[in-house]
Structure formats: C-alpha cells, structure tokens
Amino acid sequence: DGGITQSPKYLFRKEGQNVTLSCEQNLNHDAMYWYRQDPGQGLRLIYYSQIVNDFQKGDIAEGYSVSREKKESFPLTVTSAQKNPTAFYLCASSPMGMSNQPQHFGDGTRLSIL
Amino acid sequence: GQQVMQIPQYQHVQEGEDFTTYCNSSTTLSNIQWYKQRPGGHPVFLIQLVKSGEVKKQKRLTFQFGEAKKNSSLHITATQTTDVGTYFCAGYSTLTFGKGTMLLVSP
C-alpha cells in the first residue's frame, strides 16, 4: 500500500527540548510539505521540499528545521525556539512541487507541551 | 502576500438541507483545490478546478471556479451525516489554504 507514514501519533515535549517528527512516503513523490494546524485554523505551511537536498521556508518556519537527505523522508524538528509548539502537524507529498497536483496527507502528529 | 478567505467558519444544518462554503482569494489563482477533513482525520483531496468559470460535480457535491479565478464555492445538496467534517480550499499561485468551514449535520 502506498502512502505517507507519520510518527509518532502523539508526542510530548518538555520545555527547552527539541523534538523530531518523522514523515516517510513510498509514493515516489518529489515534493514534500509540513503544515501546522491549530484549532479553528487552516493549514499553515512550515517548510516544503521540491527535490532531495533542497527545501524552502513556508509562512511560519521560525522555530522549525527540516532536512531532505532522501526522497522518501522529510523529518521536521521542532526546536526550543518555537515558543508555542502545541499543535497538530501534518506532512504531505505531491508528485511535483508547488504545482497543480493534489497533495496526499499523512495521519498527523499531535504535539503537546508537558 | 496571497490571502485566501473562507466563509462561513462553521455551519450546522439538518440532514437533507443544502450547504455552501465560499472561498475568496486576494489574487488571481492558477488553480484551486478542495479538501475534506473528517474529525480527528487528515485532509483528503476532493477535486481541482483550473479553468475560469469551471463547474464540476461529484454526486451531491458541486464545485465552481469564478470567472475571474479569484473565488470558488462548494455546494452540497441534501446533506447527509457522512458529510460532517471541515472543508478546505487551497489556492495556487503560492500555496495557501483557507481556514476551512466546519460542517455539522444533525439527523
């Protein structure tokens, strides 16, 4: 079955701690995205990558970092600089980046502060 | 930058009533996509509109793209409880999602 796998489903962070959210896809898609969703809000773009070893900041990149060393993987690190990290994080992919192709989403990771 | 506004934010209907959500962009869009997110789930792609004035139907759902390619609508005829969820539009010139319309349907 092709799809996007996000892990863990729930994650708790202590103050001052960095945490990394995993996103893996086996759809052979070139582009991958990270979104943050807060209650009553839409999806806000954190980072996106259109090709391996390249990524661009989205609208709310401050306090986050990413890497794209492999086509299948696009991990997101929530750093201690992100002062309000509690949110639902969604990873998505599409065959090509920033184009007219639909995005496929993972099941998301809910991050909370302890 | 590009802004995509979606209204209403929330709507509660009785089963069988119709429902419409509207999406308006501050800039001309190259295309617009619609997604549905069930409670506790992730967004799922519904449809994409590309042409000015385009209308597409999926069973009870009708999607329209405005002539100026700056607005779009999703209309559901005779809602069912399975229609419950949040409907998002996503406009492409840059990649921007609306805040979504949450639909609640009472039996």
Side-chain angles (χ1 to χ4, degrees), chain A residues 46-114:
Chain A
I46 304 172
Y47 270 97
Y48 65 97
S49 168
Q50 299 189 71
I51 197 168
V52 175
N53 291 323
D54 187 47
F55 49 83
Q56 286 79 39
K57 293 182 179 180
D59 299 321
I60 55 167
E62 185 174 352
Y64 300 97
S65 66
V66 294
S67 63
R68 186 87 187 277
E69 297 177 1
K70 298 187 299 181
K71 186 175 185 177
E72 304 79 22
S73 179
F74 191 40
L76 173 73
T77 296
V78 184
T79 75
S80 57
Q82 173 49 245
K83 298 306 179 188
N84 184 23
T86 297
F88 186 45
Y89 291 87
L90 285 159
C91 178
S93 72
S94 64
M96 292 170 57
M98 305 303 278
S99 68
N100 62 348
Q101 295 178 339
Q103 294 187 29
H104 301 257
F105 286 83
D107 288 338
T109 293
R110 293 193 182 274
L111 175 63
S112 300
I113 293 294
L114 285 178

Side-chain angles (χ1 to χ4, degrees), chain B residues 4 6 10 19 30 37 42 48 50 57 64 68 81 92 97:
Chain B
V4 175
Q6 200 172 345
Y10 171 85
F19 159 78
S30 58
Q37 184 176 22
H42 60 268
Q48 176 171 272
V50 178
K57 293 191 175 184
Q64 292 188 325
T81 54
Y92 278 79
F97 277 79

Side-chain angles (χ1 to χ4, degrees), chain A residues 34-53:
Chain A
W34 274 105
Y35 294 93
R36 170 180 173 142
Q37 187 174 34
D38 295 283
Q41 301 291 318
L43 281 66
R44 292 186 290 170
L45 184 63
I46 304 172
Y47 270 97
Y48 65 97
S49 168
Q50 299 189 71
I51 197 168
V52 175
N53 291 323

